[in-house]
Amino acid sequence: MNIEELLPLVKRPSRYLGNEHNVINKDWQGVRLRVALAFPDLYEIGMSHQGLKIIYNILNQEDDFLAERVYAPDLDMERLLRERGLPLFSLESKRPLSDFDMLGITLPYELCYTNILTILELAAIPFYSRERDDSQPLIIGGGPCAFHPEPVADFFDAILLGDGEEAILSIARCIAAGREQGKGRAAILDSLSQIEGVYVPSYFEPQYDSEGNLTEIRPLNGRPARVRRAVVADLSDQPAIDRPLVPLARIVHDRLGLELARGCTRGCRFCQAGVIYRPVRELSPERVMDLALKGIKNSGFDELALLSLSTGDYSCLTPLLVRLMDEFAARHISVSMPSMRVGTLTPEIMEQVKRVRKTGFTIAPEAGTDRLRRVINKGITEADLLNTVSTAFELGWKLIKLYFMFGLPMETEEDIDAIPALTARALRVAGGKGRTINASIGTFVPKPHTAFQWEPQLDTATAYDYIDRLKRAMPKGAKLKWNDPQNSFLEGVFSRGDRRLAPLIEKAWRAGARLDAWSEYFNLARWQEAAAELGIDLNSYLRRRELDEVLPWDHIDCGLEPDFQIRELAKAREEAYTPDCRVHGCQGCGLCDFKKVKPVVYDAAAARAEVPRSFGARPAVRQPEGAYYYRFIYEKQGLARFVGHLEFLQALFRAVERAGLPVKFSQGFNPSPRISFSPALPLGMESLAEYFIAELQTPLSDLDGWIKRMNDEMPQGFNIIEIKLTGKKQPLKIVTDYRITLPVEIPAAEIDKFLRAKEYPLSIIRKGRKKEIDVRPLVRGIEALDTSTLALSMVSEISKAGIKPLEFIQALLGVNDNDTPVRAVKLAWREDDANGY
C-alpha cells in the first residue's frame, strides 16, 4: 500500500512509517506463517511496551515465521482510512491486516478495549469470533488483562494466559501446521487448546440465574474446568533482544529497557501483577551486562532502564549498577530504575545513578498511615520513607514523586488526612529551597486474583470529594496530581466484568468511544448512555462480592491455591504481615512445584565475577581543551520527509553513538552532544542540502570512511553525502532554492503580479499571534518550470521573522493542500553575504 498520500494529512505521521532502526523486514513468500502483532493504543504507548517487543523478536528469529506490527491509529488516520476505503496496514510491509494468518492483540489495560474494535473494523475482520470464517486471521490475545478477559472474550478466538516466550512459538507452529494441513478454524482452535496457557473462550459458557447472577462458567464438551497459565521457568534460557527497535517518533518510554527480573515476592495485597507474574525469576548479572552492552551498541540510546516489578529487590543490584555505570557513565549514558521500593533505594544506589544525570525517583507509600500499609502488606514504615526521601535530597535530587491510593479496603478518614500530613513531613526532611515533592493520587481499583478482589470500589462522588479535600490540605511546596475517578470507574467495571459487557463495548464504540486512556478523548457519559440503552447497571460491577460467589474469572487459573487469597484477606483485616518468600521461605501460595517452577535468585557475590566487556563497547575519550568542527551535509528523501525536526535530532544523536563519532558533550545536569543544526525543515519537505555541525574531541582522518560509517547507522531516507572541516560560526543570512510541485495548474498571472509588486504583505501566525510580514524582499526568484512545477528562491535570516516557502506559495496561489498536498524539495542553499561560517 502506498501511504504517502495519507501522511501529509495526519498529525505525527512518523507513527505510521515503520522505518525504525533495527526494524525487521522478511520475505513474505519465504515463511510458513505471517503474524501481525497489534497494540491497541497509539504508537507512542505501544512502542514503549516491552511484551510486544519480546514476541516480535522471538517470532522473527525463526526462519519459518514473520512478525510485523500495527498500532491503533489516531482519529485523523482512522477517518482518512474509512473515507478512502483503505484497510489498516502493518508498519513493515504496509499490507492489510486481513492478509496475515494470525493477528495477535496485546491486552495491556482495560481502557484500550474499544481500540481493539477499531483495529478489527479497519481490517474488515468481524468483531465476534463466532462470525469469522476460515479465510480470516485467527485473533489471539495476551497480556495482563488476559487474566480477567471476559468483557472482551467474545472478540477473541484464543487468549494466552501467562508468559509468552515459549507459548508463542507453540501457537505459531500449531497454526502453521493447521493451515498447511487444510484444517479449518475449529480444528486449529482444538489443537491450540492443548497448549499450556491457551484459553479458547468459545469452549466455556457463562450461566446466569433468573436475577442475572452468574452461577457457573460451564466448560463445554467435557473440557477442563480451568485453564492454567503458562510459566517460563528460567528467563535466561529465552532469546534475547540484542538489536532493539529504535523509534523515530517520540514515545513515552524512549530508552533501552532491560528486564532484570519477572515476578515479585513482596505480596502486596492490592497488586495483581505480583500474582500473575509469580514466581520471581532473575536474570544473572552476567546476562544483564551482556544485554546492556549489545543493546546500547546496537541502539544508541542514552538511557538504560532496569525493569522489574521491584527493581530494588534484584539480588545483585548494587554491584551490577557499579559495573553498568563504570561502563556507561563516561559516555553520558544514564541508568534509571522506574520501579523502586522504599528501603531498597540505598545511598549506594543513588550515588551510582547520579553519575550521569539524576533520573527521577518515584516512591510509592500507597497509603498515608502505617496501619493501612499493614492492611495492604506493603511492608514499609513512615520512618523508612522519610529516610529515603532525606537521603535522595542530600545527594542532590530536587524532585521526588510520591504515589498514593485512596479507597483502599479498611480505609478511614484518618488515612485520607494522613496523605498530606506525610507529604508535609517529607518536605520538612527535604529541607532547603528549590526542593519539590509531587504527590500523585488515584482511586484504588480492586483487581481479580488478588486478596481484595471481593472488595467494593469507591464511588466517583466520594473520590472527587477526597481529591478536593487533599487539594486543600496539601502543603506548600508540594504539587498534587490525580487520576480522574471517572477513568477509574470504567477501569473497575471492566476489571471485574463478565461477557455481558462485550455488547456495551461495541455500542460505545459505535457511538464514538475511542482511545479512552487519553483524557482528551475519554467521555464517561457516552458509556453510561450505551449502558442505559442495553439495560446494564455499571455500578453493580463495583459492588462487594461474597466469598462463595462465582466470579467471572474463576475458570482462569493463575496458579494460586484456591483459598490462598481468602487467607490473605483475613490477614489484612488483622493487619497481619505475610513475609517475603525470597527471604523468609515459602508462604504457601501454591504456585511453585520446586522442580520446574520455582524462584530463580542469584547470589550477590556472582555479580563480582568478571563480565563481558566486548561487543564493541567504546572506551570514553577525555574531552580535550581544543575542538574540531565538522559540517555533515545530508539528504532527506522519501518517507523520511515525514520525520519531524526534533524527532530527527534524537535519531541523529543515537546514530552518532552507534557509529562511535567522538562528539563532545555539554556540561551540567543533562549533558547532550554538541551538535548544531541547519534551520528546521518544514514537515513533509524533502531536501538535498541539509547539514549539521558536530563539535568533536579529535579530528577525523578518513572522511570517506566516516561517511559510510555514519550512513550505516542513519535512519532510512537520511543520507550523508559530504563531511568537511569547518568553523563554529553558522551563516546568518542564506538563500535557499526549492522545487515545488502543485496539485493544480499554476496561475501564471499571479506570479507575474507578484514579481511586479514592490511589496507583498502577508499575515502569518507565530506562537498564537498574528503578524504581518512583507514577503517581497524575501523572494529572490520564482519561475514556472512547467504547468505544475515552480522554482523558488527565498532569503532567510536567523535573527528575523520569515515565512515558510509553502506558506508563501499557498497564500500567493490560493492552493489548499488539505486533500492533495503540495510536494516540495529543498535543492540547495548558499550564503547571501560575506558572514562566513
PDB file of all heavy atoms in Angstrom, residues 58-82:
ATOM      1  N   ILE A  58      11.118 -12.783  19.161  1.00  0.00           N
ATOM      2  CA  ILE A  58      11.118 -14.245  19.175  1.00  0.00           C
ATOM      3  C   ILE A  58      10.599 -14.814  17.855  1.00  0.00           C
ATOM      4  O   ILE A  58      11.200 -15.732  17.275  1.00  0.00           O
ATOM      5  CB  ILE A  58      10.290 -14.768  20.368  1.00  0.00           C
ATOM      6  CG1 ILE A  58      11.037 -14.514  21.681  1.00  0.00           C
ATOM      7  CG2 ILE A  58       9.977 -16.251  20.220  1.00  0.00           C
ATOM      8  CD1 ILE A  58      10.244 -14.847  22.914  1.00  0.00           C
ATOM      9  N   LEU A  59       9.495 -14.289  17.376  1.00  0.00           N
ATOM     10  CA  LEU A  59       8.925 -14.813  16.129  1.00  0.00           C
ATOM     11  C   LEU A  59       9.851 -14.564  14.942  1.00  0.00           C
ATOM     12  O   LEU A  59      10.028 -15.439  14.089  1.00  0.00           O
ATOM     13  CB  LEU A  59       7.557 -14.179  15.873  1.00  0.00           C
ATOM     14  CG  LEU A  59       6.404 -14.681  16.750  1.00  0.00           C
ATOM     15  CD1 LEU A  59       5.160 -13.837  16.524  1.00  0.00           C
ATOM     16  CD2 LEU A  59       6.100 -16.155  16.469  1.00  0.00           C
ATOM     17  N   ASN A  60      10.454 -13.405  14.891  1.00  0.00           N
ATOM     18  CA  ASN A  60      11.297 -13.080  13.739  1.00  0.00           C
ATOM     19  C   ASN A  60      12.651 -13.772  13.780  1.00  0.00           C
ATOM     20  O   ASN A  60      13.353 -13.809  12.763  1.00  0.00           O
ATOM     21  CB  ASN A  60      11.464 -11.563  13.609  1.00  0.00           C
ATOM     22  CG  ASN A  60      10.276 -10.918  12.932  1.00  0.00           C
ATOM     23  OD1 ASN A  60       9.772 -11.416  11.931  1.00  0.00           O
ATOM     24  ND2 ASN A  60       9.801  -9.809  13.492  1.00  0.00           N
ATOM     25  N   GLN A  61      13.037 -14.317  14.926  1.00  0.00           N
ATOM     26  CA  GLN A  61      14.264 -15.114  14.974  1.00  0.00           C
ATOM     27  C   GLN A  61      14.074 -16.482  14.316  1.00  0.00           C
ATOM     28  O   GLN A  61      15.049 -17.166  14.006  1.00  0.00           O
ATOM     29  CB  GLN A  61      14.736 -15.284  16.421  1.00  0.00           C
ATOM     30  CG  GLN A  61      15.383 -14.039  16.996  1.00  0.00           C
ATOM     31  CD  GLN A  61      16.040 -14.280  18.349  1.00  0.00           C
ATOM     32  OE1 GLN A  61      16.244 -15.408  18.749  1.00  0.00           O
ATOM     33  NE2 GLN A  61      16.367 -13.202  19.050  1.00  0.00           N
ATOM     34  N   GLU A  62      12.825 -16.876  14.113  1.00  0.00           N
ATOM     35  CA  GLU A  62      12.524 -18.153  13.468  1.00  0.00           C
ATOM     36  C   GLU A  62      12.408 -17.950  11.953  1.00  0.00           C
ATOM     37  O   GLU A  62      11.666 -17.082  11.498  1.00  0.00           O
ATOM     38  CB  GLU A  62      11.209 -18.720  14.010  1.00  0.00           C
ATOM     39  CG  GLU A  62      11.232 -19.028  15.501  1.00  0.00           C
ATOM     40  CD  GLU A  62      12.083 -20.243  15.814  1.00  0.00           C
ATOM     41  OE1 GLU A  62      12.004 -21.229  15.060  1.00  0.00           O
ATOM     42  OE2 GLU A  62      12.828 -20.187  16.815  1.00  0.00           O
ATOM     43  N   ASP A  63      13.118 -18.766  11.191  1.00  0.00           N
ATOM     44  CA  ASP A  63      13.093 -18.624   9.733  1.00  0.00           C
ATOM     45  C   ASP A  63      11.694 -18.835   9.153  1.00  0.00           C
ATOM     46  O   ASP A  63      11.350 -18.258   8.121  1.00  0.00           O
ATOM     47  CB  ASP A  63      14.062 -19.629   9.091  1.00  0.00           C
ATOM     48  CG  ASP A  63      15.520 -19.302   9.395  1.00  0.00           C
ATOM     49  OD1 ASP A  63      15.806 -18.135   9.742  1.00  0.00           O
ATOM     50  OD2 ASP A  63      16.358 -20.215   9.298  1.00  0.00           O
ATOM     51  N   ASP A  64      10.885 -19.660   9.812  1.00  0.00           N
ATOM     52  CA  ASP A  64       9.574 -20.013   9.270  1.00  0.00           C
ATOM     53  C   ASP A  64       8.497 -18.968   9.523  1.00  0.00           C
ATOM     54  O   ASP A  64       7.405 -19.063   8.947  1.00  0.00           O
ATOM     55  CB  ASP A  64       9.098 -21.346   9.881  1.00  0.00           C
ATOM     56  CG  ASP A  64       9.845 -22.543   9.308  1.00  0.00           C
ATOM     57  OD1 ASP A  64      10.514 -22.379   8.273  1.00  0.00           O
ATOM     58  OD2 ASP A  64       9.767 -23.623   9.900  1.00  0.00           O
ATOM     59  N   PHE A  65       8.778 -17.999  10.396  1.00  0.00           N
ATOM     60  CA  PHE A  65       7.736 -17.066  10.801  1.00  0.00           C
ATOM     61  C   PHE A  65       8.120 -15.630  10.466  1.00  0.00           C
ATOM     62  O   PHE A  65       9.299 -15.263  10.436  1.00  0.00           O
ATOM     63  CB  PHE A  65       7.458 -17.181  12.307  1.00  0.00           C
ATOM     64  CG  PHE A  65       7.148 -18.569  12.769  1.00  0.00           C
ATOM     65  CD1 PHE A  65       7.611 -19.030  13.989  1.00  0.00           C
ATOM     66  CD2 PHE A  65       6.390 -19.433  11.982  1.00  0.00           C
ATOM     67  CE1 PHE A  65       7.328 -20.318  14.423  1.00  0.00           C
ATOM     68  CE2 PHE A  65       6.098 -20.710  12.401  1.00  0.00           C
ATOM     69  CZ  PHE A  65       6.576 -21.164  13.621  1.00  0.00           C
ATOM     70  N   LEU A  66       7.102 -14.841  10.261  1.00  0.00           N
ATOM     71  CA  LEU A  66       7.254 -13.411  10.013  1.00  0.00           C
ATOM     72  C   LEU A  66       6.337 -12.678  10.980  1.00  0.00           C
ATOM     73  O   LEU A  66       5.172 -13.052  11.141  1.00  0.00           O
ATOM     74  CB  LEU A  66       6.885 -13.115   8.564  1.00  0.00           C
ATOM     75  CG  LEU A  66       6.672 -11.691   8.056  1.00  0.00           C
ATOM     76  CD1 LEU A  66       6.927 -11.650   6.552  1.00  0.00           C
ATOM     77  CD2 LEU A  66       5.261 -11.174   8.333  1.00  0.00           C
ATOM     78  N   ALA A  67       6.863 -11.666  11.643  1.00  0.00           N
ATOM     79  CA  ALA A  67       6.035 -10.845  12.536  1.00  0.00           C
ATOM     80  C   ALA A  67       6.191  -9.381  12.161  1.00  0.00           C
ATOM     81  O   ALA A  67       7.311  -8.886  11.993  1.00  0.00           O
ATOM     82  CB  ALA A  67       6.425 -11.068  13.994  1.00  0.00           C
ATOM     83  N   GLU A  68       5.060  -8.696  12.018  1.00  0.00           N
ATOM     84  CA  GLU A  68       5.046  -7.264  11.773  1.00  0.00           C
ATOM     85  C   GLU A  68       4.147  -6.602  12.807  1.00  0.00           C
ATOM     86  O   GLU A  68       3.470  -7.285  13.572  1.00  0.00           O
ATOM     87  CB  GLU A  68       4.578  -6.978  10.340  1.00  0.00           C
ATOM     88  CG  GLU A  68       5.484  -7.633   9.295  1.00  0.00           C
ATOM     89  CD  GLU A  68       5.154  -7.252   7.866  1.00  0.00           C
ATOM     90  OE1 GLU A  68       4.140  -6.547   7.656  1.00  0.00           O
ATOM     91  OE2 GLU A  68       5.898  -7.666   6.963  1.00  0.00           O
ATOM     92  N   ARG A  69       4.163  -5.262  12.849  1.00  0.00           N
ATOM     93  CA  ARG A  69       3.465  -4.552  13.922  1.00  0.00           C
ATOM     94  C   ARG A  69       2.382  -3.630  13.372  1.00  0.00           C
ATOM     95  O   ARG A  69       2.451  -3.152  12.251  1.00  0.00           O
ATOM     96  CB  ARG A  69       4.457  -3.708  14.718  1.00  0.00           C
ATOM     97  CG  ARG A  69       5.514  -4.482  15.475  1.00  0.00           C
ATOM     98  CD  ARG A  69       6.672  -3.564  15.837  1.00  0.00           C
ATOM     99  NE  ARG A  69       7.308  -3.025  14.659  1.00  0.00           N
ATOM    100  CZ  ARG A  69       7.623  -1.743  14.468  1.00  0.00           C
ATOM    101  NH1 ARG A  69       7.375  -0.854  15.419  1.00  0.00           N
ATOM    102  NH2 ARG A  69       8.185  -1.337  13.339  1.00  0.00           N
ATOM    103  N   VAL A  70       1.403  -3.375  14.238  1.00  0.00           N
ATOM    104  CA  VAL A  70       0.390  -2.363  13.956  1.00  0.00           C
ATOM    105  C   VAL A  70      -0.060  -1.784  15.292  1.00  0.00           C
ATOM    106  O   VAL A  70      -0.102  -2.490  16.304  1.00  0.00           O
ATOM    107  CB  VAL A  70      -0.800  -2.957  13.169  1.00  0.00           C
ATOM    108  CG1 VAL A  70      -1.534  -4.019  13.988  1.00  0.00           C
ATOM    109  CG2 VAL A  70      -1.771  -1.860  12.738  1.00  0.00           C
ATOM    110  N   TYR A  71      -0.358  -0.510  15.291  1.00  0.00           N
ATOM    111  CA  TYR A  71      -0.839   0.188  16.485  1.00  0.00           C
ATOM    112  C   TYR A  71      -2.173   0.845  16.148  1.00  0.00           C
ATOM    113  O   TYR A  71      -2.480   1.090  14.978  1.00  0.00           O
ATOM    114  CB  TYR A  71       0.184   1.225  16.952  1.00  0.00           C
ATOM    115  CG  TYR A  71       1.543   0.624  17.211  1.00  0.00           C
ATOM    116  CD1 TYR A  71       2.506   0.558  16.211  1.00  0.00           C
ATOM    117  CD2 TYR A  71       1.858   0.061  18.447  1.00  0.00           C
ATOM    118  CE1 TYR A  71       3.741  -0.023  16.438  1.00  0.00           C
ATOM    119  CE2 TYR A  71       3.088  -0.519  18.680  1.00  0.00           C
ATOM    120  CZ  TYR A  71       4.033  -0.558  17.672  1.00  0.00           C
ATOM    121  OH  TYR A  71       5.244  -1.150  17.894  1.00  0.00           O
ATOM    122  N   ALA A  72      -2.941   1.126  17.160  1.00  0.00           N
ATOM    123  CA  ALA A  72      -4.224   1.802  16.914  1.00  0.00           C
ATOM    124  C   ALA A  72      -3.960   3.161  16.277  1.00  0.00           C
ATOM    125  O   ALA A  72      -3.113   3.923  16.742  1.00  0.00           O
ATOM    126  CB  ALA A  72      -4.981   1.973  18.228  1.00  0.00           C
ATOM    127  N   PRO A  73      -4.667   3.478  15.208  1.00  0.00           N
ATOM    128  CA  PRO A  73      -4.473   4.792  14.580  1.00  0.00           C
ATOM    129  C   PRO A  73      -5.132   5.886  15.405  1.00  0.00           C
ATOM    130  O   PRO A  73      -6.107   5.647  16.119  1.00  0.00           O
ATOM    131  CB  PRO A  73      -5.168   4.631  13.227  1.00  0.00           C
ATOM    132  CG  PRO A  73      -6.254   3.628  13.494  1.00  0.00           C
ATOM    133  CD  PRO A  73      -5.686   2.677  14.512  1.00  0.00           C
ATOM    134  N   ASP A  74      -4.606   7.086  15.292  1.00  0.00           N
ATOM    135  CA  ASP A  74      -5.284   8.233  15.891  1.00  0.00           C
ATOM    136  C   ASP A  74      -6.535   8.542  15.064  1.00  0.00           C
ATOM    137  O   ASP A  74      -6.729   8.015  13.970  1.00  0.00           O
ATOM    138  CB  ASP A  74      -4.346   9.430  15.935  1.00  0.00           C
ATOM    139  CG  ASP A  74      -4.689  10.393  17.070  1.00  0.00           C
ATOM    140  OD1 ASP A  74      -5.823  10.318  17.599  1.00  0.00           O
ATOM    141  OD2 ASP A  74      -3.840  11.239  17.427  1.00  0.00           O
ATOM    142  N   LEU A  75      -7.385   9.413  15.588  1.00  0.00           N
ATOM    143  CA  LEU A  75      -8.680   9.644  14.959  1.00  0.00           C
ATOM    144  C   LEU A  75      -8.571  10.186  13.540  1.00  0.00           C
ATOM    145  O   LEU A  75      -9.385   9.843  12.680  1.00  0.00           O
ATOM    146  CB  LEU A  75      -9.507  10.603  15.814  1.00  0.00           C
ATOM    147  CG  LEU A  75      -9.835  10.156  17.246  1.00  0.00           C
ATOM    148  CD1 LEU A  75     -10.859  11.099  17.857  1.00  0.00           C
ATOM    149  CD2 LEU A  75     -10.331   8.732  17.282  1.00  0.00           C
ATOM    150  N   ASP A  76      -7.537  11.000  13.279  1.00  0.00           N
ATOM    151  CA  ASP A  76      -7.414  11.558  11.932  1.00  0.00           C
ATOM    152  C   ASP A  76      -7.080  10.475  10.914  1.00  0.00           C
ATOM    153  O   ASP A  76      -7.646  10.444   9.811  1.00  0.00           O
ATOM    154  CB  ASP A  76      -6.395  12.700  11.899  1.00  0.00           C
ATOM    155  CG  ASP A  76      -5.043  12.322  12.497  1.00  0.00           C
ATOM    156  OD1 ASP A  76      -4.874  11.175  12.960  1.00  0.00           O
ATOM    157  OD2 ASP A  76      -4.146  13.191  12.511  1.00  0.00           O
ATOM    158  N   MET A  77      -6.175   9.562  11.267  1.00  0.00           N
ATOM    159  CA  MET A  77      -5.841   8.467  10.353  1.00  0.00           C
ATOM    160  C   MET A  77      -7.019   7.506  10.203  1.00  0.00           C
ATOM    161  O   MET A  77      -7.303   7.029   9.093  1.00  0.00           O
ATOM    162  CB  MET A  77      -4.600   7.731  10.840  1.00  0.00           C
ATOM    163  CG  MET A  77      -4.211   6.518   9.980  1.00  0.00           C
ATOM    164  SD  MET A  77      -3.812   6.932   8.264  1.00  0.00           S
ATOM    165  CE  MET A  77      -2.072   7.363   8.407  1.00  0.00           C
ATOM    166  N   GLU A  78      -7.707   7.215  11.294  1.00  0.00           N
ATOM    167  CA  GLU A  78      -8.881   6.339  11.204  1.00  0.00           C
ATOM    168  C   GLU A  78      -9.911   6.925  10.236  1.00  0.00           C
ATOM    169  O   GLU A  78     -10.470   6.211   9.394  1.00  0.00           O
ATOM    170  CB  GLU A  78      -9.512   6.156  12.589  1.00  0.00           C
ATOM    171  CG  GLU A  78     -10.754   5.274  12.566  1.00  0.00           C
ATOM    172  CD  GLU A  78     -11.510   5.265  13.880  1.00  0.00           C
ATOM    173  OE1 GLU A  78     -10.979   5.742  14.888  1.00  0.00           O
ATOM    174  OE2 GLU A  78     -12.662   4.781  13.886  1.00  0.00           O
ATOM    175  N   ARG A  79     -10.152   8.231  10.361  1.00  0.00           N
ATOM    176  CA  ARG A  79     -11.132   8.878   9.498  1.00  0.00           C
ATOM    177  C   ARG A  79     -10.704   8.821   8.027  1.00  0.00           C
ATOM    178  O   ARG A  79     -11.516   8.526   7.142  1.00  0.00           O
ATOM    179  CB  ARG A  79     -11.319  10.334   9.930  1.00  0.00           C
ATOM    180  CG  ARG A  79     -12.402  11.075   9.145  1.00  0.00           C
ATOM    181  CD  ARG A  79     -12.512  12.524   9.571  1.00  0.00           C
ATOM    182  NE  ARG A  79     -11.295  13.278   9.306  1.00  0.00           N
ATOM    183  CZ  ARG A  79     -10.420  13.650  10.227  1.00  0.00           C
ATOM    184  NH1 ARG A  79     -10.621  13.342  11.506  1.00  0.00           N
ATOM    185  NH2 ARG A  79      -9.330  14.328   9.900  1.00  0.00           N
ATOM    186  N   LEU A  80      -9.417   9.062   7.773  1.00  0.00           N
ATOM    187  CA  LEU A  80      -8.921   9.026   6.398  1.00  0.00           C
ATOM    188  C   LEU A  80      -9.054   7.640   5.782  1.00  0.00           C
ATOM    189  O   LEU A  80      -9.487   7.489   4.626  1.00  0.00           O
ATOM    190  CB  LEU A  80      -7.451   9.445   6.371  1.00  0.00           C
ATOM    191  CG  LEU A  80      -7.136  10.932   6.240  1.00  0.00           C
ATOM    192  CD1 LEU A  80      -5.642  11.151   6.345  1.00  0.00           C
ATOM    193  CD2 LEU A  80      -7.662  11.487   4.930  1.00  0.00           C
ATOM    194  N   LEU A  81      -8.673   6.617   6.539  1.00  0.00           N
ATOM    195  CA  LEU A  81      -8.766   5.254   6.029  1.00  0.00           C
ATOM    196  C   LEU A  81     -10.211   4.909   5.676  1.00  0.00           C
ATOM    197  O   LEU A  81     -10.490   4.304   4.636  1.00  0.00           O
ATOM    198  CB  LEU A  81      -8.218   4.267   7.056  1.00  0.00           C
ATOM    199  CG  LEU A  81      -6.705   4.306   7.310  1.00  0.00           C
ATOM    200  CD1 LEU A  81      -6.336   3.389   8.470  1.00  0.00           C
ATOM    201  CD2 LEU A  81      -5.926   3.917   6.059  1.00  0.00           C
ATOM    202  N   ARG A  82     -11.113   5.313   6.547  1.00  0.00           N
ATOM    203  CA  ARG A  82     -12.519   4.979   6.315  1.00  0.00           C
ATOM    204  C   ARG A  82     -13.078   5.762   5.117  1.00  0.00           C
ATOM    205  O   ARG A  82     -13.793   5.212   4.286  1.00  0.00           O
ATOM    206  CB  ARG A  82     -13.317   5.250   7.594  1.00  0.00           C
ATOM    207  CG  ARG A  82     -14.773   4.768   7.510  1.00  0.00           C
ATOM    208  CD  ARG A  82     -15.459   4.804   8.852  1.00  0.00           C
ATOM    209  NE  ARG A  82     -14.968   3.752   9.735  1.00  0.00           N
ATOM    210  CZ  ARG A  82     -14.241   3.963  10.820  1.00  0.00           C
ATOM    211  NH1 ARG A  82     -13.915   5.190  11.168  1.00  0.00           N
ATOM    212  NH2 ARG A  82     -13.842   2.956  11.571  1.00  0.00           N
TER     213      ARG A  82
END
